[in-house]
Structure formats: structure tokens, C-alpha cells
Amino acid sequence: MDVKEIISKINEAVEQLDFTTARKYIEDNLEIVNQERAFLKSNAREILKFIIEKINSGEKPLSKTEINEIKVINTYASRLDIRGLKLNLKGKEKLLLKDETLNYLNADAKIILEGMGAIKK
């Protein structure tokens, strides 16, 4: 893809409020998009700014498998299946320590995990 096509796809995704797709395009073409940021819409520039701040802080974005693991945690918490939740949490301590993980947890999961002492209030 050339630069104009990338920028237009990002702007189109932002117009349709598909921020996930826009973020993916920006992450895949970060250098090019950063150089041509003047052609981005304001929401796309904010996504670019957010991604650059995350990279500069040294924090890696969550992978698809990590996001899926969080969805499973949310499902167990919504069903109030504490036993299943505890079994699922084994070996995922590092995932719960990431700051971005809290953004993906639903209210039930946050309350239960805080009660268990797995995450901080």
C-alpha cells in the first residue's frame, strides 16, 4: 500500500468509529503515518499519539491471545464461577499486572479480582 491509501483507510476507519482497525493500520505503518500525521483526522492523530506514548513508556500492547484470555476471565466473572476463574488465572499473573489489562476487564471481574487480591484497587 502506498501512503495515501494507508492514510485514507485510517481516516475511513475513524469516520466509521472503527478505532480498532485504525489502530491496527497505525501500528503496522507507524513510521509512515507519523511522518504524514498532518493528513490524519483528529481522532486518528489521538490514536497515533496514544500509541507513541505507549511505545515510549516501554509498555507492549496486549496481544490477541492476551485479549482472549481477558475475555475468558470476564466470562467466568459474569457467571460468578469463582472456581473456574481461579483455575483460569493460574499462570496469568503477569497479564494481570499490566496496566492495559484493567481497561479490558468488566465490572464483575474487577470486583472479584480486587476481592481475591489479584489486582489493586
Side-chain angles (χ1 to χ4, degrees):
M1 275 194 264
D2 65 330
V3 177
K4 290 181 182 178
E5 189 176 344
I6 293 169
I7 298 294
S8 67
K9 287 200 181 258
I10 293 170
N11 286 333
E12 186 178 310
V14 169
E15 283 177 9
Q16 296 174 359
L17 302 177
D18 188 4
F19 299 121
T20 306
T21 303
R23 181 177 177 173
K24 183 69 174 159
Y25 280 125
I26 292 171
E27 286 175 346
D28 291 345
N29 305 292
L30 187 61
E31 292 179 24
I32 297 169
V33 173
N34 195 21
Q35 292 172 355
E36 302 294 329
R37 81 179 95 177
F39 297 108
L40 294 173
K41 298 200 177 231
S42 62
N43 285 340
R45 277 182 287 209
E46 287 298 317
I47 294 171
L48 175 65
K49 180 181 168 187
F50 174 77
I51 292 170
I52 290 173
E53 286 175 2
K54 287 289 184 183
I55 290 172
N56 290 341
S57 70
E59 186 176 331
K60 294 181 181 177
L62 294 176
S63 67
K64 286 186 178 185
T65 56
E66 290 173 329
I67 292 172
N68 287 335
E69 291 170 354
I70 294 170
K71 287 180 182 178
V72 171
I73 292 170
N74 286 336
T75 303
Y76 281 119
S78 296
R79 294 180 185 166
L80 294 174
D81 184 359
I82 305 299
R83 182 175 183 214
L85 182 62
K86 284 183 179 180
L87 288 173
N88 190 299
L89 288 176
K90 286 187 180 177
K92 296 184 176 89
E93 295 83 13
K94 290 183 181 179
L95 176 63
L96 294 176
L97 292 175
K98 291 186 177 185
D99 292 332
E100 196 172 353
T101 301
L102 295 176
N103 298 331
Y104 288 92
L105 292 173
N106 63 19
D108 295 331
K110 287 180 183 177
I111 290 169
I112 293 170
L113 292 173
E114 284 174 0
M116 291 171 55
I119 59 173
K120 294 182 181 178
K121 294 181 180 181

